[in-house]
Structure formats: structure tokens, C-alpha cells
């Protein structure tokens, strides 16, 4: 659970019960600075250099409302993003959010949840008779703030009551007990992002160990949810095969015979991401040497550095074989 050092309340958020409930909660906490923003601009997060600004941002919670009425698309894994929150308390060195959340990457929760879900309903109706999938973690990890907002609970119950739409989100965190007894009606898929011990220790700061994530995943599948694992980012380091094999064995020991899905994503980076990461993690050991990679043009006009073709083929073969043995080829959604 995210325990912020400061919480900033946008004025509009206090027009909602949830905003006021969160304010009441933090008013009774020691060591949490409370700030208010009339304009919606977030100021007052300290920091004299990029590292400090990053860290202070990561320790800040903003309570606001979601203004924009339209949802972003979320291809290929879903049709739309469901904006429940943005940002993340985790401090993964490679995180895609490092290029998206500005110099002070605060976590923000939205308190106008009914309006957000009403909008989701409109999208669902528009797409009828096709079904619609909403992704709840496109720009955040929503689990660490669930205690404050109950947003996932609300979304899961909402989609549980709908005929033609589905919900999914991904997390590295484990505070999922409040989601276990909900009427989800099989409409929500919960995915856990996992990696080898080495990668978690080295790069995924402020996140739970893989064993804890697997224990949480076990509770999720026992609660009847659809379960998936995202193995990402896969790094091809000296003994990656042995270590990813150990990871898959851990999964097999716990989930043998269960129906689960896998997404496997190799590490990639953009020039801009590399620059941003180096400002905050100046001595990072993330492998980001352009010479060792293949440059691939991206769909949004910027290119990314991916592993070379032979390496990716080797990786694909490895995961197809080692996931396929225990869970069948059908369990693999994609390996990229
Ligand atoms: Fe980014 Fe996910 Fe790590 Fe959070 S947990 S910092 S969203 S990679």
C-alpha cells in the first residue's frame, strides 16, 4: 500500500464524498503533509535535482478528478483505457512511466468514479453488439492506492454486472484481499507482472518479491478470477535461461493444472527513455547500449532499441517450450 509523504487535494475533488473521505483519513495521520490546489496545477513538491524531484514525486499522492470525457484507446490488449488513477509508487528503473509522468512523477487518483464508469457504459453501448475490453492499468499500477479509493472494487463490480464488457488490469503489488469476495462474474482478468529474483532486486525498487506476487496470484485464481502473468521486461543476461526457468518452475509448482495466460515482453528502450532514466538513475546497470541492439521504427514516430533478431528468436523458442510444457501452447498470448 502506498503511504505518501504528502497529499495534494484538487479543489474539485472535495466536491465528491470520496475526496472528502480521503482528506479525513489523511488529516488524522502524522507525518503526512496536506496541500491544496485551487487551479489543478500541482506545485509544492520539493527537489533540487532530478533524483530528488523524482523521489519526492514518487512520495506524493494527488487526489483529483478525471476531466477529459474521452478515453484513450489501448490497443492491442484492450479497446480502451479505464482511467482510475495514474502514476505508480514503484520505482522500477526501466518503467515506461519514466518518460510520461514529468520530472515529479506523482501518483494521482480520480474521485469522480461514477462519471468514469458511466462513460465506460457509453463506450460499451456504442460498440454493441461487439464486446468491449477496458484496461485499468495503462498508465499506473492501481493496487497500492486501492485502500484509499476502492476504485478497482467499484470497477470490478460494475463490469461484473454488465453483459458486454470486460475489465483487466496488471500489477506488481499484492494488497488484493479487498478484491477477493466481489461479484466479478468472471468479467475481470487480473495479471501479475513478474520477473526473475535478479531483475526484481536490481531494478524493481519498492515492489514485492516474486514469491509474494505469486501468493497473491494464487488467492486471485482461487477467488475465481481469470489470471495472467506478464513476464516483462525479459532481459537476456548471462544466465537468463536458467533463471527464467526457475521462475517458470515456481509458477508451475503453484499453478499446475490451472488455466492461466502468459504475455512475454523483451526489454526495449527509446533514446528519450534512456536519457530520462540516466538523469534519475545515473549509475543504472540497465543494459541500454544502442550498439548491442536493433533499431526498430515505432508507430508513433519514434524508434526503439530491441534485442537482435537471433536473440529474440532464441527467447521465443525458450518461452514457447518452457511455458508450453506445463501450460500448453494455448496459454501464451504473445511473446515479443
Ligand atoms: Fe512502473 Fe510497473 Fe514498476 Fe510501477 S510497478 S514503477 S508502473 S514498472
Amino acid at each position: 500500500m502506498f503511504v505518501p509523504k504528502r497529499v495534494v487535494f484538487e479543489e474539485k475533488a472535495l466536491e465528491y464524498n470520496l475526496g472528502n473521505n480521503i482528506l479525513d483519513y489523511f488529516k488524522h495521520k502524522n507525518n503526512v503533509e496536506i496541500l491544496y490546489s485551487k487551479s489543478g496545477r500541482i506545485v509544492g513538491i520539493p527537489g533540487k535535482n532530478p533524483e530528488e524531484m523524482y523521489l519526492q514525486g514518487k512520495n506524493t499522492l494527488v487526489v483529483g478528478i478525471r476531466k477529459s470525457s474521452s478515453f484513450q484507446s489501448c490497443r492491442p490488449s484492450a479497446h480502451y483505457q479505464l482511467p482510475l488513477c495514474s502514476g505508480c509508487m514503484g520505482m522500477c528503473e526501466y518503467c515506461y512511466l519514466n518518460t510520461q509522468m514529468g520530472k515529479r512523477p506523482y501518483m494521482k487518483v480520480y474521485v469522480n468514479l461514477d462519471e468514469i464508469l458511466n462513460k465506460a457504459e457509453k463506450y460499451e453501448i456504442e460498440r454493441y453488439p461487439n464486446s468491449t475490453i477496458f484496461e485499468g492499468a495503462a498508465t499506473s499500477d492501481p493496487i497500492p492506492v486501492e485502500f484509499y479509493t476502492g476504485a478497482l472494487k467499484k470497477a470490478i463490480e460494475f463490469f461484473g454486472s454488465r453483459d458486454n464488457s470486460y475489465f483487466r488490469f496488471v500489477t506488481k503489488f499484492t494488497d488484493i484481499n479487498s478484491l477477493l469476495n466481489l461479484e466479478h462474474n468472471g468479467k475481470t482478468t487480473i495479471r501479475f507482472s513478474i520477473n526473475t529474483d535478479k531483475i526484481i532486486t536490481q531494478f524493481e525498487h519498492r515492489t514485492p518479491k516474486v514469491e509474494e506476487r505469486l501468493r497473491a496470484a494464487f488467492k486471485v485464481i482461487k477467488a475465481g478470477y481469470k489470471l495472467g502473468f506478464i513476464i516483462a521486461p525479459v532481459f537476456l543476461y548471462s544466465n537468463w535461461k536458467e533463471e527464467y526457468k526457475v521462475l517458470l518452475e515456481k509458477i508451475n509448482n503453484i499453478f499446475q493444472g490451472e488455466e492461466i495466460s502468459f504475455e512475454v515482453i523483451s526489454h526495449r528502450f527509446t533514446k528519450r527513455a534512456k536519457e530520462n532514466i540516466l538523469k534519475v538513475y545515473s549509475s543504472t546497470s540497465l543494459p541500454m547500449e544502442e550498439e548491442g541492439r536493433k533499431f526498430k521504427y515505432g508507430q508513433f514516430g519514434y524508434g526503439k532499441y530491441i534485442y537482435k533478431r537471433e536473440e529474440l528468436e532464441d527467447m521465443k523458442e525458450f518461452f514457447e517450450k518452457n511455458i508450453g510444457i506445463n501450460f500448453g501452447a494455448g496459454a501464451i498470448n504473445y511473446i515479443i
Side-chain angles (χ1 to χ4, degrees):
M1 169 176 153
F2 181 30
V3 181
K5 288 211 164 70
R6 79 187 56 73
V7 188
V8 186
F9 289 87
E10 289 181 0
E11 194 173 54
K12 283 241 175 264
L14 297 175
E15 292 171 11
Y16 294 78
N17 285 343
L18 180 55
N20 283 297
N21 293 345
I22 299 174
L23 176 60
D24 280 346
Y25 176 85
F26 281 110
K27 266 187 178 162
H28 296 101
K29 290 278 157 201
N30 293 328
N31 305 324
V32 179
E33 183 186 8
I34 295 184
L35 301 167
Y36 298 92
S37 166
K38 242 183 171 20
S39 63
R41 278 189 64 232
I42 303 305
V43 288
I45 303 176
K48 291 194 191 71
N49 54 48
E51 285 102 326
E52 275 178 30
M53 290 192 269
Y54 172 80
L55 189 60
Q56 294 292 347
K58 286 279 180 184
N59 287 329
T60 302
L61 176 66
V62 174
V63 180
I65 59 159
R66 164 80 188 184
K67 288 186 205 115
S68 157
S69 56
S70 53
F71 292 178
Q72 305 259 7
S73 77
C74 195
R75 293 289 185 180
S77 70
H79 297 101
Y80 293 106
Q81 301 182 9
L82 186 74
L84 302 174
C85 52
S86 62
C88 177
M89 65 160 276
M91 290 174 50
C92 303
E93 294 184 22
Y94 57 73
C95 179
Y96 66 106
L97 294 179
N98 290 339
T99 43
Q100 292 189 357
M101 304 301 297
K103 291 183 179 147
R104 295 175 171 85
Y106 54 78
M107 175 130 212
K108 181 169 183 179
V109 294
Y110 303 122
V111 294
N112 54 334
L113 295 172
D114 288 328
E115 291 161 25
I116 293 167
L117 292 173
N118 286 344
K119 184 75 197 170
E121 186 177 347
K122 290 204 175 93
Y123 280 114
E124 182 199 306
I125 292 167
E126 259 171 43
R127 285 183 42 82
Y128 185 83
N130 297 314
S131 58
T132 308
I133 303 172
F134 293 88
E135 166 64 59
T139 57
S140 68
D141 191 315
I143 286 287
V145 286
E146 176 64 11
F147 173 81
Y148 302 118
T149 63
L152 287 172
K153 173 181 186 295
K154 212 170 164 99
I156 289 168
E157 288 178 337
F158 171 81
F159 289 105
S161 72
R162 309 291 310 168
D163 288 333
N164 225 24
S165 52
Y166 297 85
F167 183 46
R168 57 194 324 208
F169 65 90
V170 57
T171 186
K172 283 186 172 71
F173 292 86
T174 55
D175 317 303
I176 42 83
N177 286 353
S178 66
L179 308 181
L180 297 180
N181 296 314
L182 305 182
E183 300 242 338
H184 57 75
N185 291 326
K187 299 302 227 22
T188 292
T189 303
I190 302 181
R191 291 119 79 222
F192 284 83
S193 166
I194 53 171
N195 221 313
T196 64
D197 288 336
K198 176 187 162 76
I199 298 304
I200 291 175
T201 310
Q202 212 167 339
F203 301 128
E204 299 184 357
H205 315 295
R206 287 219 303 210
T207 67
K209 289 182 186 324
V210 73
E211 283 75 14
E212 294 170 46
R213 297 183 207 176
L214 296 180
R215 271 199 290 277
F218 187 70
K219 289 188 198 170
V220 156
I221 204 164
K222 288 299 154 203
Y225 285 98
K226 294 196 180 90
L227 175 70
F229 289 114
I230 302 188
I231 305 179
V234 173
F235 289 94
L236 306 182
Y237 53 94
S238 55
N239 55 338
W240 66 271
K241 285 188 181 165
E242 288 76 12
E243 297 196 9
Y244 282 101
K245 218 170 186 165
V246 168
L247 176 65
L248 291 169
E249 276 160 13
K250 283 180 191 167
I251 296 175
N252 189 37
N253 287 341
I254 303 173
F255 296 96
Q256 202 166 30
E258 303 282 5
E259 200 179 306
I260 50 182
S261 61
F262 290 85
E263 295 154 82
V264 184
I265 307 171
S266 59
H267 177 245
R268 67 258 337 270
F269 63 92
T270 62
K271 240 189 170 34
R272 192 164 148 237
K274 179 176 175 175
E275 283 163 16
N276 285 342
I277 291 166
L278 288 173
K279 277 184 203 148
V280 181
Y281 293 104
S282 50
S283 52
T284 184
S285 53
L286 275 174
M288 294 191 293
E289 291 80 30
E290 289 86 346
E291 311 76 59
R293 297 291 179 97
K294 181 184 161 190
F295 185 73
K296 189 178 173 199
Y297 286 96
Q299 53 175 324
F300 303 111
Y302 59 85
K304 54 195 164 193
Y305 293 90
I306 61 174
Y307 281 108
K308 292 188 172 153
R309 192 164 60 88
E310 317 76 65
E311 293 172 308
L312 285 177
E313 278 169 6
D314 191 26
M315 184 196 105
K316 275 188 186 168
E317 194 183 306
F318 170 85
F319 281 103
E320 272 168 9
K321 183 169 159 223
N322 286 286
I323 294 173
I325 286 174
N326 296 316
F327 296 99
I332 304 171
N333 285 355
Y334 58 84
I335 302 173
I336 56 171

